[in-house]
């Protein structure tokens, strides 16, 4: 099971890294420097680790909510790059990516803990 979790986390991190580079370098046409790659790598690594840890602790509902939030965050990231041509599209896109993914993580953890409490209450009532 650990190999599977490692692969899922790595795939999530790699996909996030590639999407961030694709959006910034290809769509915006911005020249990337080492600090950009480092920041993208740290964010992607964090996202991959969060996903793998959620699955490691059997937080499947939280994992699904977090992945949906991450997909929505990247959709907003690209939408912002493509639609905002006033010069702030890059800043708004990156900030929306960070905020939506953070919000999704928070909601995912809260929902998972609520589900855990409900399950414990059901077990206590059945005993």
């Amino acid at each position: 099971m650990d190999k599977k979790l490692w692969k899922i986390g790595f795939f999530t991190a790699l996909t996030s890294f590639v999407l961030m580079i694709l959006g910034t370098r290809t769509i915006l046409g911005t020249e990337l420097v080492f600090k950009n790659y480092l920041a993208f790598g740290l964010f992607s690594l964090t996202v991959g680790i969060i996903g793998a840890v959620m699955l490691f602790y059997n937080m499947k509902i939280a994992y699904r909510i977090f992945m949906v939030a991450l997909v929505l965050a990247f959709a907003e990231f690209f939408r912002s790059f493509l639609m905002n041509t006033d010069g702030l599209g890059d800043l708004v896109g990156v900030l929306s990516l960070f905020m939506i993914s953070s919000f999704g993580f928070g909601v995912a953890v809260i929902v998972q803990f609520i589900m855990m409490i409900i399950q414990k209450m059901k077990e206590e009532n059945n005993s």
Side-chain angles (χ1 to χ4, degrees), residues 37-96:
Y37 290 112
L38 183 64
F40 295 167
L42 287 175
F43 175 76
S44 300
L45 185 63
T46 303
V47 167
I49 289 172
I50 288 172
V53 167
M54 284 181 177
L55 288 176
F56 180 76
Y57 286 111
N58 292 324
M59 300 173 75
K60 294 178 182 174
I61 295 170
Y63 176 76
R64 290 181 182 134
I65 293 171
F66 180 64
M67 287 298 124
V68 167
L70 194 61
V71 168
L72 292 175
F74 272 108
E76 175 59 24
F77 178 72
F78 285 112
R79 188 206 63 80
S80 177
F81 283 177
L82 293 171
M83 299 298 171
N84 291 344
T85 57
D86 61 355
L88 292 177
D90 52 349
L91 179 63
V92 171
V94 172
L95 286 176
S96 65

Side-chain angles (χ1 to χ4, degrees), residues 25-43:
R25 189 176 64 189
T26 306
I27 295 176
L28 285 181
T30 304
E31 178 105 11
L32 297 177
V33 295
F34 177 72
K35 287 183 182 180
N36 297 118
Y37 290 112
L38 183 64
F40 295 167
L42 287 175
F43 175 76

